[in-house]
């Protein structure tokens, strides 16, 4: 990749991923950062917008020493590389780094990404952004080591739901095999990332799941199930916001609903909304219409107002689309 290979010896590289980074965003970014370090890049930083807090399940990732708060990020990098962000809005104030004097390279796999960098490596068919990161590292001649592999494995496994989602192709398993061949321990990684949470989070989940609502007539009769969590819920159980990211999984298990939704309060009258579909509904259409983005089966957006107002907007968008027509288009 010319943008990387032509860096001067003292070239400044800034890696950015989206706000509230998940496993794919952070894992892809740190895995690639470790690869650049192996290439000899010395002036290297990684960052993301918002509070510089890494979710507890991801605090064991290699390469965390490269992270800096956004306020300390290089203001005029020679190369900016953006990971797993479908739009500039997901980068907050860091989006301005993409329009500086340096080259902006974007790696992403969201279908809603329309290209906002100088060089866009965007593949909606990729199971995770880590797939593109590994491919680019291979093109740069960077061999996998255990540190790089652990980051990319966390990224790949989180975005495929521990290899349970439809995006899990033979190529995904082949990539996982290459990563495992470095000697990383998948059992230890899975326990840390997927199967460990504070007891307070368990109690919080029970409360929030207890208020879930099933609306079988929505989504063209395919069903909608939704719930919500407030800042007061988090405070009452003494939990950090990251614990709510896993809440969509038990909600989406509802047999009577194709579409599942979790509405998470992030500020007064501001909500982060996660949407999932089992296949009959393209939830990315809903998210894009409401200012967000994502994939056909997994998407999200930021909603404003009361929780009832946010959910009513989701219902309205679901009614605007014909789930059976969506399925036919995918056939």
């Amino acid at each position: 990749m010319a943008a990387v290979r032509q860096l001067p010896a003292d070239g400044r590289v800034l890696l950015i991923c989206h706000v509230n980074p998940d496993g794919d965003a952070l894992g892809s970014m740190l895995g690639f950062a470790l690869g650049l370090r192996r290439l000899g890049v010395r002036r290297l930083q990684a960052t993301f917008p918002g509070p510089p807090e890494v979710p507890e399940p991801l605090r064991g990732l290699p390469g965390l020493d490269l992270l800096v708060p956004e306020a300390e990020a290089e203001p005029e990098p020679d190369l900016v590389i953006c990971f797993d962000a479908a739009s500039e809005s997901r980068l907050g104030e860091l989006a301005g780094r993409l329009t500086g004097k340096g080259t902006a390279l974007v790696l992403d796999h969201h279908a809603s990404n329309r290209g906002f960098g100088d060089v866009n490596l965007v593949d909606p068919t990729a199971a995770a952004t880590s797939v593109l990161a590994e491919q680019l590292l291979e093109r740069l001649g960077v061999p996998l080591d255990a540190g790089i592999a652990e980051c990319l494995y966390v990224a790949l496994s989180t975005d495929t739901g521990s290899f349970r989602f439809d995006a899990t192709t033979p190529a995904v398993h082949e990539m996982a095999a290459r990563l495992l061949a470095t000697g990383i321990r998948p059992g230890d990684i899975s326990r840390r990332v997927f199967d460990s949470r504070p007891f307070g989070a368990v109690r919080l989940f029970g409360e929030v799941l207890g208020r879930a609502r099933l609306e079988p007539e929505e989504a063209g009769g395919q069903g909608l199930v939704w719930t919500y969590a407030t800042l007061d819920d988090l405070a009452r159980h003494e939990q950090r916001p990251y614990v709510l990211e896993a809440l969509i999984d038990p909600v989406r298990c509802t047999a009577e609903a194709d579409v599942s939704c979790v509405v998470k309060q992030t500020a007064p009258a501001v909500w982060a909304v996660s949407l999932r579909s089992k296949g009959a509904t393209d939830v990315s259409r809903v998210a894009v219409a409401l200012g967000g983005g994502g994939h056909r089966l997994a998407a999200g957006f930021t909603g404003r107002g009361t929780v009832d107002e946010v959910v009513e907007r989701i219902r309205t968008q679901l009614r605007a689309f014909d789930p059976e027509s969506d399925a036919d288009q995918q056939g």
Side-chain angles (χ1 to χ4, degrees), residues 123-136:
D123 182 2
T125 68
T129 296
S130 58
V131 173
L132 304 174
E134 193 221 17
Q135 291 172 351
L136 185 52

Side-chain angles (χ1 to χ4, degrees), residues 27 30-40 61-63 66 133-134 137-138 141-154 175-185 189:
L30 293 180
F32 197 81
L34 292 172
L36 291 178
R37 180 183 272 175
R38 290 201 66 172
L39 281 177
L61 283 175
L66 292 167
E134 193 221 17
L137 287 173
E138 182 181 17
V142 179
L144 293 173
D145 60 24
I148 296 172
E150 181 170 339
C151 290
L152 297 184
Y153 185 85
V154 167
M175 176 177 167
R178 292 192 296 273
L179 301 176
L180 292 173
T182 65
I184 61 175
R185 299 174 64 87
I189 293 170

